[in-house]
Amino acid sequence: MASLAQHLSTRRTGVVLSSAFFGFYSHAGFMSALFESGVQPTAIGGSSAGALVGSFSAAGALEDFIPLLNDLRRKDFWDPGLPGGRPWGLLKGRRFSQLLETSLPVQTFEDCHTPLLTVSTNLETGRRHVDTSGPLVPAVAASCALPFMFRAVVRDGDRHIDGGVIDKAPIEAMIDEFDLDAIVVHFIPSKNISQPAPKGPRKFMDWALDITRDASWQTQAALAEASGVEVYIVTSPYGGIGPFSMKRGAQVVESTRQDATSVLTSDRSNTRFSRL
């Protein structure tokens, strides 16, 4: 049987990168392994951290992005302000948007080498918002606007926050937007999934949200399989990194690259989604 990478190379393959706090280190390692294995995606889609790595990958700039990511420090995007906006966010997000503007080599989705899809959550409609065209930076910044960490990004009068709030792994959106034979999902599980239900109300709500989002992406994967699109899941931990522990980022990038290489060059049946 052909390896997963060999099989994906013969298909119109979409890559989906899940949301996951500071999981962009792990996503970068996966995308590096994917390109090294010879897979050239037909399209790339992502939520939150997945949208960030997806944008650089689609722009053909992953090789420049990884050194930038390894050198990233909190001061590069940390711009706290007085409480403001709804929902409240610690960071204004201006420095993060400036970092994207100076680092991304393209300005629009249309300029990307590979078709790209990003997802944010529109607070006015309470629905998933999908971007595949237009200015790139506002779409990526909105998809990464983690509640209570970043303020909402206002776009056309509507407030947008982290796409992972509604859509942890946008499989359905990818199938709707692109003609694909297969999808490979680089999935970073929420740490709450493996924990028993907490007692405190705030932690319980976070746990319940993670459980709901987990069920949602699995339903999307099952529907994709039922429609004839092959779905493969490659799972990695995000590495326990946060804004105060980014010095370990390079280690996570490399360890994920090595692990993903092993998976991509092995029997594809080990990663086939089968929970129909």
Side-chain angles (χ1 to χ4, degrees):
M1 179 178 289
S3 69
L4 176 58
Q6 290 170 331
H7 182 71
L8 293 176
S9 295
T10 67
R11 299 291 189 272
R12 291 170 297 182
T13 298
V15 176
V16 172
L17 306 175
S18 74
S19 66
F21 196 38
F22 273 57
F24 37 79
Y25 292 100
S26 187
H27 282 321
F30 171 78
M31 290 304 298
S32 179
L34 189 75
F35 289 138
E36 288 173 0
S37 72
V39 178
Q40 295 298 321
T42 298
I44 300 172
S47 289
S48 195
L52 176 62
V53 177
S55 64
F56 281 90
S57 299
L62 184 66
E63 291 185 359
D64 295 325
F65 177 62
I66 290 178
L68 172 68
L69 196 60
N70 290 342
D71 292 336
L72 186 67
R73 295 296 178 263
R74 192 171 66 254
K75 63 181 178 61
D76 296 324
F77 62 88
W78 204 256
D79 57 354
L82 294 175
R86 292 180 299 154
W88 178 84
L90 171 65
L91 305 180
K92 292 177 283 188
R94 295 171 187 168
R95 188 166 291 180
F96 177 61
S97 291
Q98 290 171 354
L99 181 64
L100 292 176
E101 289 171 355
T102 57
S103 302
L104 278 167
V106 299
Q107 296 183 338
T108 69
F109 283 80
E110 290 84 355
D111 294 331
C112 289
H113 296 189
T114 303
L116 173 68
L117 176 152
T118 65
V119 173
S120 62
T121 301
N122 187 322
L123 291 178
E124 317 308 331
T125 64
R127 292 180 177 274
R128 172 181 64 196
H129 178 89
V130 176
D131 281 294
T132 58
S133 62
L136 191 54
V137 169
V140 175
S143 188
C144 294
L146 181 69
F148 305 113
M149 182 172 179
F150 285 104
R151 295 179 186 176
V153 176
V154 179
R155 307 177 65 202
D156 297 325
D158 290 352
R159 295 167 300 150
H160 290 247
I161 60 171
D162 195 319
V165 171
I166 285 182
D167 211 352
K168 184 171 178 68
I171 299 170
E172 180 183 25
M174 288 286 285
I175 293 174
D176 288 345
E177 294 290 339
F178 305 110
D179 187 13
L180 303 172
D181 300 316
I183 286 180
V184 57
V185 181
H186 187 232
F187 186 74
I188 303 176
S190 301
K191 63 179 180 180
N192 289 332
I193 295 296
S194 60
Q195 304 296 323
K199 296 180 180 180
R202 173 65 182 278
K203 290 185 177 181
F204 179 84
M205 291 304 296
D206 288 343
W207 176 83
L209 176 60
D210 285 342
I211 293 294
T212 301
R213 293 189 305 158
D214 195 59
S216 175
W217 80 261
Q218 290 190 45
T219 298
Q220 292 183 42
L223 291 173
E225 286 271 355
S227 70
V229 178
E230 301 171 5
V231 179
Y232 299 90
I233 312 296
V234 179
T235 303
S236 301
Y238 80 87
I241 295 180
F244 298 95
S245 55
M246 292 185 293
K247 291 184 178 180
R248 293 190 295 106
Q251 178 183 347
V252 172
V253 172
E254 180 57 22
S255 63
T256 305
R257 187 191 67 78
Q258 293 179 12
D259 291 344
T261 297
S262 178
V263 172
L264 289 164
T265 55
S266 66
D267 184 346
R268 68 178 187 272
S269 64
N270 297 328
T271 57
R272 184 71 183 266
F273 184 86
S274 59
R275 285 164 284 185
L276 296 176

mmCIF file of all heavy atoms in Angstrom, residues 231-256:
data_model
loop_
_atom_site.group_PDB
_atom_site.id
_atom_site.type_symbol
_atom_site.label_atom_id
_atom_site.label_comp_id
_atom_site.label_asym_id
_atom_site.label_seq_id
_atom_site.Cartn_x
_atom_site.Cartn_y
_atom_site.Cartn_z
ATOM 1 N N VAL A 231 -10.914 11.364 4.203
ATOM 2 C CA VAL A 231 -10.427 12.217 5.285
ATOM 3 C C VAL A 231 -9.361 11.463 6.078
ATOM 4 O O VAL A 231 -9.590 10.326 6.512
ATOM 5 C CB VAL A 231 -11.574 12.646 6.233
ATOM 6 C CG1 VAL A 231 -11.025 13.520 7.366
ATOM 7 C CG2 VAL A 231 -12.659 13.408 5.459
ATOM 8 N N TYR A 232 -8.220 12.107 6.248
ATOM 9 C CA TYR A 232 -7.118 11.544 7.017
ATOM 10 C C TYR A 232 -6.788 12.498 8.166
ATOM 11 O O TYR A 232 -6.731 13.710 7.968
ATOM 12 C CB TYR A 232 -5.887 11.333 6.134
ATOM 13 C CG TYR A 232 -6.155 10.376 4.997
ATOM 14 C CD1 TYR A 232 -6.619 10.852 3.763
ATOM 15 C CD2 TYR A 232 -5.989 9.010 5.157
ATOM 16 C CE1 TYR A 232 -6.895 9.983 2.726
ATOM 17 C CE2 TYR A 232 -6.255 8.131 4.102
ATOM 18 C CZ TYR A 232 -6.716 8.618 2.903
ATOM 19 O OH TYR A 232 -7.002 7.758 1.872
ATOM 20 N N ILE A 233 -6.579 11.949 9.345
ATOM 21 C CA ILE A 233 -6.335 12.756 10.539
ATOM 22 C C ILE A 233 -4.921 12.498 11.057
ATOM 23 O O ILE A 233 -4.555 11.355 11.352
ATOM 24 C CB ILE A 233 -7.337 12.431 11.669
ATOM 25 C CG1 ILE A 233 -8.777 12.416 11.146
ATOM 26 C CG2 ILE A 233 -7.171 13.419 12.815
ATOM 27 C CD1 ILE A 233 -9.280 13.735 10.636
ATOM 28 N N VAL A 234 -4.123 13.538 11.148
ATOM 29 C CA VAL A 234 -2.795 13.463 11.758
ATOM 30 C C VAL A 234 -2.843 14.329 13.020
ATOM 31 O O VAL A 234 -3.059 15.534 12.944
ATOM 32 C CB VAL A 234 -1.694 13.968 10.812
ATOM 33 C CG1 VAL A 234 -0.333 13.896 11.492
ATOM 34 C CG2 VAL A 234 -1.695 13.153 9.512
ATOM 35 N N THR A 235 -2.671 13.708 14.164
ATOM 36 C CA THR A 235 -2.841 14.390 15.445
ATOM 37 C C THR A 235 -1.492 14.693 16.087
ATOM 38 O O THR A 235 -0.600 13.842 16.109
ATOM 39 C CB THR A 235 -3.680 13.535 16.405
ATOM 40 O OG1 THR A 235 -4.947 13.249 15.800
ATOM 41 C CG2 THR A 235 -3.913 14.260 17.721
ATOM 42 N N SER A 236 -1.364 15.909 16.611
ATOM 43 C CA SER A 236 -0.144 16.318 17.310
ATOM 44 C C SER A 236 -0.531 17.143 18.530
ATOM 45 O O SER A 236 -1.530 17.857 18.507
ATOM 46 C CB SER A 236 0.767 17.177 16.421
ATOM 47 O OG SER A 236 1.142 16.497 15.250
ATOM 48 N N PRO A 237 0.265 17.096 19.600
ATOM 49 C CA PRO A 237 0.053 18.013 20.720
ATOM 50 C C PRO A 237 0.554 19.398 20.354
ATOM 51 O O PRO A 237 1.430 19.539 19.490
ATOM 52 C CB PRO A 237 0.902 17.406 21.841
ATOM 53 C CG PRO A 237 2.010 16.701 21.115
ATOM 54 C CD PRO A 237 1.392 16.178 19.843
ATOM 55 N N TYR A 238 -0.020 20.450 20.975
ATOM 56 C CA TYR A 238 0.471 21.787 20.659
ATOM 57 C C TYR A 238 1.742 22.113 21.432
ATOM 58 O O TYR A 238 2.403 23.111 21.161
ATOM 59 C CB TYR A 238 -0.614 22.842 20.895
ATOM 60 C CG TYR A 238 -0.831 23.284 22.310
ATOM 61 C CD1 TYR A 238 -0.085 24.327 22.848
ATOM 62 C CD2 TYR A 238 -1.797 22.702 23.120
ATOM 63 C CE1 TYR A 238 -0.281 24.761 24.145
ATOM 64 C CE2 TYR A 238 -2.011 23.143 24.416
ATOM 65 C CZ TYR A 238 -1.258 24.157 24.926
ATOM 66 O OH TYR A 238 -1.459 24.578 26.210
ATOM 67 N N GLY A 239 2.103 21.283 22.373
ATOM 68 C CA GLY A 239 3.391 21.425 23.046
ATOM 69 C C GLY A 239 3.359 22.192 24.343
ATOM 70 O O GLY A 239 4.400 22.427 24.958
ATOM 71 N N GLY A 240 2.176 22.579 24.795
ATOM 72 C CA GLY A 240 2.063 23.278 26.075
ATOM 73 C C GLY A 240 2.670 24.663 26.079
ATOM 74 O O GLY A 240 3.049 25.180 27.131
ATOM 75 N N ILE A 241 2.756 25.291 24.906
ATOM 76 C CA ILE A 241 3.379 26.609 24.814
ATOM 77 C C ILE A 241 2.332 27.701 24.932
ATOM 78 O O ILE A 241 1.212 27.569 24.433
ATOM 79 C CB ILE A 241 4.144 26.749 23.487
ATOM 80 C CG1 ILE A 241 5.310 25.765 23.457
ATOM 81 C CG2 ILE A 241 4.668 28.166 23.281
ATOM 82 C CD1 ILE A 241 6.123 25.826 22.191
ATOM 83 N N GLY A 242 2.683 28.781 25.605
ATOM 84 C CA GLY A 242 1.835 29.958 25.730
ATOM 85 C C GLY A 242 2.669 31.212 25.564
ATOM 86 O O GLY A 242 3.863 31.142 25.237
ATOM 87 N N PRO A 243 2.078 32.362 25.797
ATOM 88 C CA PRO A 243 2.810 33.618 25.586
ATOM 89 C C PRO A 243 4.005 33.809 26.503
ATOM 90 O O PRO A 243 4.847 34.669 26.240
ATOM 91 C CB PRO A 243 1.742 34.688 25.829
ATOM 92 C CG PRO A 243 0.686 34.016 26.643
ATOM 93 C CD PRO A 243 0.678 32.596 26.192
ATOM 94 N N PHE A 244 4.106 33.020 27.561
ATOM 95 C CA PHE A 244 5.230 33.172 28.490
ATOM 96 C C PHE A 244 6.220 32.006 28.400
ATOM 97 O O PHE A 244 7.084 31.858 29.266
ATOM 98 C CB PHE A 244 4.706 33.293 29.926
ATOM 99 C CG PHE A 244 3.841 34.506 30.143
ATOM 100 C CD1 PHE A 244 2.467 34.401 30.039
ATOM 101 C CD2 PHE A 244 4.399 35.750 30.409
ATOM 102 C CE1 PHE A 244 1.652 35.520 30.218
ATOM 103 C CE2 PHE A 244 3.601 36.870 30.584
ATOM 104 C CZ PHE A 244 2.219 36.750 30.480
ATOM 105 N N SER A 245 6.077 31.175 27.360
ATOM 106 C CA SER A 245 6.975 30.018 27.238
ATOM 107 C C SER A 245 7.325 29.730 25.780
ATOM 108 O O SER A 245 7.423 28.571 25.379
ATOM 109 C CB SER A 245 6.320 28.784 27.867
ATOM 110 O OG SER A 245 5.038 28.535 27.305
ATOM 111 N N MET A 246 7.514 30.773 24.995
ATOM 112 C CA MET A 246 7.739 30.593 23.565
ATOM 113 C C MET A 246 9.159 30.179 23.208
ATOM 114 O O MET A 246 9.418 29.813 22.059
ATOM 115 C CB MET A 246 7.359 31.876 22.821
ATOM 116 C CG MET A 246 5.873 32.162 22.839
ATOM 117 S SD MET A 246 5.436 33.600 21.827
ATOM 118 C CE MET A 246 6.230 34.901 22.760
ATOM 119 N N LYS A 247 10.076 30.194 24.150
ATOM 120 C CA LYS A 247 11.450 29.820 23.842
ATOM 121 C C LYS A 247 11.570 28.358 23.443
ATOM 122 O O LYS A 247 12.555 27.959 22.821
ATOM 123 C CB LYS A 247 12.358 30.125 25.036
ATOM 124 C CG LYS A 247 12.548 31.612 25.287
ATOM 125 C CD LYS A 247 13.520 31.870 26.417
ATOM 126 C CE LYS A 247 13.733 33.373 26.632
ATOM 127 N NZ LYS A 247 14.681 33.631 27.737
ATOM 128 N N ARG A 248 10.563 27.550 23.809
ATOM 129 C CA ARG A 248 10.578 26.139 23.433
ATOM 130 C C ARG A 248 9.944 25.901 22.067
ATOM 131 O O ARG A 248 9.773 24.765 21.631
ATOM 132 C CB ARG A 248 9.837 25.315 24.497
ATOM 133 C CG ARG A 248 10.540 25.285 25.843
ATOM 134 C CD ARG A 248 9.915 24.286 26.794
ATOM 135 N NE ARG A 248 8.541 24.649 27.144
ATOM 136 C CZ ARG A 248 7.459 24.052 26.691
ATOM 137 N NH1 ARG A 248 7.575 23.051 25.830
ATOM 138 N NH2 ARG A 248 6.257 24.429 27.085
ATOM 139 N N GLY A 249 9.558 26.976 21.382
ATOM 140 C CA GLY A 249 8.866 26.849 20.111
ATOM 141 C C GLY A 249 9.639 26.084 19.057
ATOM 142 O O GLY A 249 9.090 25.225 18.362
ATOM 143 N N ALA A 250 10.933 26.371 18.916
ATOM 144 C CA ALA A 250 11.741 25.703 17.890
ATOM 145 C C ALA A 250 11.788 24.196 18.116
ATOM 146 O O ALA A 250 11.762 23.409 17.157
ATOM 147 C CB ALA A 250 13.154 26.285 17.888
ATOM 148 N N GLN A 251 11.824 23.806 19.381
ATOM 149 C CA GLN A 251 11.825 22.376 19.709
ATOM 150 C C GLN A 251 10.524 21.713 19.272
ATOM 151 O O GLN A 251 10.528 20.601 18.727
ATOM 152 C CB GLN A 251 12.028 22.195 21.213
ATOM 153 C CG GLN A 251 12.000 20.758 21.678
ATOM 154 C CD GLN A 251 12.135 20.641 23.193
ATOM 155 O OE1 GLN A 251 12.490 21.599 23.879
ATOM 156 N NE2 GLN A 251 11.844 19.465 23.710
ATOM 157 N N VAL A 252 9.387 22.405 19.469
ATOM 158 C CA VAL A 252 8.084 21.854 19.081
ATOM 159 C C VAL A 252 7.982 21.761 17.562
ATOM 160 O O VAL A 252 7.479 20.766 17.027
ATOM 161 C CB VAL A 252 6.941 22.708 19.655
ATOM 162 C CG1 VAL A 252 5.598 22.268 19.099
ATOM 163 C CG2 VAL A 252 6.933 22.625 21.174
ATOM 164 N N VAL A 253 8.456 22.791 16.848
ATOM 165 C CA VAL A 253 8.441 22.750 15.379
ATOM 166 C C VAL A 253 9.186 21.525 14.878
ATOM 167 O O VAL A 253 8.678 20.764 14.029
ATOM 168 C CB VAL A 253 9.061 24.031 14.780
ATOM 169 C CG1 VAL A 253 9.223 23.886 13.274
ATOM 170 C CG2 VAL A 253 8.200 25.248 15.091
ATOM 171 N N GLU A 254 10.377 21.306 15.377
ATOM 172 C CA GLU A 254 11.209 20.209 14.883
ATOM 173 C C GLU A 254 10.657 18.846 15.292
ATOM 174 O O GLU A 254 10.640 17.912 14.485
ATOM 175 C CB GLU A 254 12.636 20.369 15.395
ATOM 176 C CG GLU A 254 13.597 19.282 14.941
ATOM 177 C CD GLU A 254 13.697 19.136 13.430
ATOM 178 O OE1 GLU A 254 13.375 20.097 12.700
ATOM 179 O OE2 GLU A 254 14.078 18.043 12.969
ATOM 180 N N SER A 255 10.202 18.705 16.538
ATOM 181 C CA SER A 255 9.685 17.407 16.969
ATOM 182 C C SER A 255 8.419 17.046 16.198
ATOM 183 O O SER A 255 8.226 15.875 15.817
ATOM 184 C CB SER A 255 9.410 17.410 18.478
ATOM 185 O OG SER A 255 8.414 18.344 18.823
ATOM 186 N N THR A 256 7.573 18.048 15.924
ATOM 187 C CA THR A 256 6.369 17.773 15.135
ATOM 188 C C THR A 256 6.733 17.418 13.701
ATOM 189 O O THR A 256 6.124 16.528 13.094
ATOM 190 C CB THR A 256 5.422 18.981 15.150
ATOM 191 O OG1 THR A 256 5.117 19.343 16.492
ATOM 192 C CG2 THR A 256 4.127 18.666 14.410
#
